[in-house]
Every structure is written in C-alpha cells, then in structure tokens.
Amino acid sequence: MDNDAAAADAVADAALSLDRLQISKDTKTSDAEKSRSSKIAAPSTLDCKQDVPAPIILCDAFYGFPTQKRPRNERVRAVSRQLTNFLQWRSEASEKKSKNYHSHVHVLGKGTDIESVKNRVDELGTQTKATTEEIIFQPDIEIREFLDQEKPTRESLQEEVVYLSPDATYTLPTNCRPPRIVIVGMLIDRRITEDRSRRRAEDSLNIRAAKLPLDELRVKELSSCEPLNVDTVMELMQRWWWNCDRVEERLQQIKGSEKAEGDDNMETYNLLYKKCFVEAAAYAMKSQRDRHPNRTVHKTDWPNQSS
C-alpha cells in the first residue's frame, strides 16, 4: 500500500507540473517557442488534414468474458463502467470542442456480450452525461473484418493500426501523431495476466502490438510496461489526438514560412509532438488517480530504468 501511495503521489506531481509545458489547455506559448515554431513549415501531410478520417478506438471484447453467470455479470459491469467513465469525461472535457474532433469508438465482441454491455451503459448513462450514441456497438463483427472495411480509406492501413499492450516490445514514438486506429483489449482483471494482450494481438490477430511511451513522464514508479485501466487508455489517446490536432492547426496557420531542414528545426518539431503526448499522459494519469485513489498504478516492482 505504501508503494501504491508513493506512486500515486508521484503521478499526481507529474500531472500538476504541467505549467512547464508550452502546450497547455489554453494553448499559450512562450515568445521563444513562437519564434522557433515560425521557422517550421507544416509537413506536406498536414496540407490535406481535412481529408484524413477520424481516429478510431477499437474495443476488443472478444476475449476476457467468462462463461459462468456471476463472473460474466461482473465483467459486463466492469467494462460498462470503464466505457461510461470515458464517455462522461469526454462529454465534460469537450463541451467547447466540435464533435468533429472526437475519435470514433467501436466495441466489437460476441453478440450476447455486446448486447449486455450496451444495455448496462444505457443504464449508467441515465446517471451521467454518457450516452451510447457516442459508441458504435458491433456484435459478431471480427476485428479483421472491421479493418478490411477500413482499407479503402487509407492505403497504408497496416501502419496506422496498433494493438495497445504493456507487454509489447515496440513502443509508440512521440515525435509524430499516434496511429489512427488503436485497439484496446477489454481486459479488466484484479489480477494481472502478463503477455495476454500481446499474444492476442500478434499471435491471434497478426496485428502489431505497441506500448504507450509512459517513460516520457519521468515518473520513477511508472513504466511504459504499466497496465493502465481501460478508461485511462481511452482518455489518454483522445487527449493525444486532440493535442496533435491543435499543434498541426497551429502549424498550418503559419503563413509564408520557408521549409527548413536543419537539425534545430527538426528538434523543435519533435519537441512539439512530444509535448502532445506528455500532456495527454499526465492528465490521463491524474484522472486515473482521481477515479482510483487506492490503486493508481498496478505494478511498482519495475527494474531500475536508469541501467
């Protein structure tokens, strides 16, 4: 318990120290950063940003649901609560944002499981601002079948899809936008089963597994191998996309700047994207601490990261 409390305090300190970041809630920037940013032309991929499909959070509910009645009901309630937490947060956080900036949330799984989760989310929605209108429930649609339907929208779909797993060997980079489609396993267990989501991604679905770059938060008790709660992962991804949208819009507004290729300009460009993730992760971890004050992190026995 002492380790959990120390980790919770450390994560909170990271979230509350965001005043040192130039990308903040009101997007204010220092004069120095404005000067550096003005020298960077928006990449060519940003010129057609309006044509890029909305990001997608794909919830994989095909595994993890017990067959016995009581454990299954507990899983349905747990998954529904996590989805509702995310919808309620997004509703409150995005009151001033256009819904065009929202990621699309799809929940795929067996018909009976999806129906039960949807009904429960509907019930919880009467107590909160969350509604199932912001989730697309797709019973008996396989992950691969869904991705095949997305292929016409982008040629390089394989590069834009990752299955998030804390056990993955690959870590998402912070110097660019995150992938457009992220798959999140609906695993909500009191006891951690290591390597489960990675095996699901790479062995069962043949989809690249990736872990979040949580080491960038520089919190001793928090590693990129930390298995976060589902609602925290979904909030982090939505914030990350929002922050990247904001940065790219700002870059698009730079008029008459010449495209520079120097190391200093690339470093500044990478820093802007890195801040997009750091802010998103810090605030998402603060939300996790607020929701689960007694267990902000699930594992505190990480090896020394400095070696």
Side-chain angles (χ1 to χ4, degrees), residues 138-153:
Q138 296 182 271
D140 297 321
I141 301 295
E142 296 289 340
I143 301 292
R144 274 294 174 184
E145 182 181 354
F146 175 89
L147 295 178
D148 286 341
Q149 295 173 358
E150 288 291 311
K151 279 185 178 179
T153 62

Side-chain angles (χ1 to χ4, degrees), residues 114-290:
I114 295 301
E115 181 180 1
S116 298
V117 170
K118 182 181 185 302
N119 291 338
R120 180 57 180 163
V121 172
D122 278 333
E123 293 177 9
L124 294 173
T126 61
Q127 308 166 17
T128 66
K129 294 182 180 181
T131 66
T132 54
E133 295 178 358
E134 294 191 24
I135 296 184
I136 303 173
F137 292 93
Q138 296 182 271
D140 297 321
I141 301 295
E142 296 289 340
I143 301 292
R144 274 294 174 184
E145 182 181 354
F146 175 89
L147 295 178
D148 286 341
Q149 295 173 358
E150 288 291 311
K151 279 185 178 179
T153 62
R154 299 286 283 183
E155 294 180 358
S156 57
L157 184 63
Q158 186 63 28
E159 298 178 2
E160 297 192 13
V161 181
V162 295
Y163 199 115
L164 293 181
S165 169
D167 301 303
T169 57
Y170 172 71
T171 304
L172 290 177
T174 60
N175 62 349
C176 58
R177 285 184 70 90
R180 185 175 70 87
I181 301 176
V182 297
I183 306 174
V184 180
M186 297 291 100
L187 289 174
I188 304 175
D189 297 316
R190 296 176 182 175
R191 183 175 300 176
I192 298 172
T193 304
E194 294 185 359
D195 215 34
R196 192 176 181 185
S197 54
R198 187 204 61 79
R199 293 197 306 268
R200 166 67 173 165
E202 298 181 345
D203 299 343
S204 301
L205 298 174
N206 193 28
I207 294 174
R208 178 179 56 168
K211 56 188 173 185
L212 294 167
L214 297 175
D215 288 331
E216 297 293 347
L217 276 176
R218 308 292 185 184
V219 175
K220 182 179 179 181
E221 292 82 359
L222 183 65
S223 163
S224 293
C225 297
E226 170 66 24
L228 302 179
N229 287 7
V230 168
D231 51 3
T232 303
V233 172
M234 296 176 72
E235 177 182 337
L236 190 157
M237 290 307 308
Q238 180 64 86
R239 287 183 180 276
W240 196 356
W241 283 315
W242 276 345
N243 288 349
C244 289
D245 287 341
R246 195 165 64 215
V247 165
E248 291 168 359
E249 286 177 357
R250 190 168 68 202
L251 291 175
Q252 282 183 321
Q253 293 171 359
I254 298 175
K255 302 295 184 178
S257 59
E258 297 181 359
K259 188 173 182 179
E261 298 180 354
D263 292 340
D264 291 342
N265 291 287
M266 183 57 67
E267 181 179 353
T268 303
Y269 183 77
N270 291 341
L271 181 60
L272 288 172
Y273 271 109
K274 180 178 180 180
K275 288 177 179 178
C276 290
F277 171 78
V278 171
E279 182 188 274
Y283 277 112
M285 289 305 300
K286 184 177 185 301
S287 293
Q288 175 154 315
R289 186 199 186 196
D290 292 341

Side-chain angles (χ1 to χ4, degrees), residues 35-36 52 57-58 104 113 149 160 171 201 213 220 222 272:
S35 176
R36 291 193 301 268
V52 176
I57 298 177
L58 192 56
H104 295 170
D113 295 334
Q149 295 173 358
E160 297 192 13
T171 304
K220 182 179 179 181
L222 183 65
L272 288 172

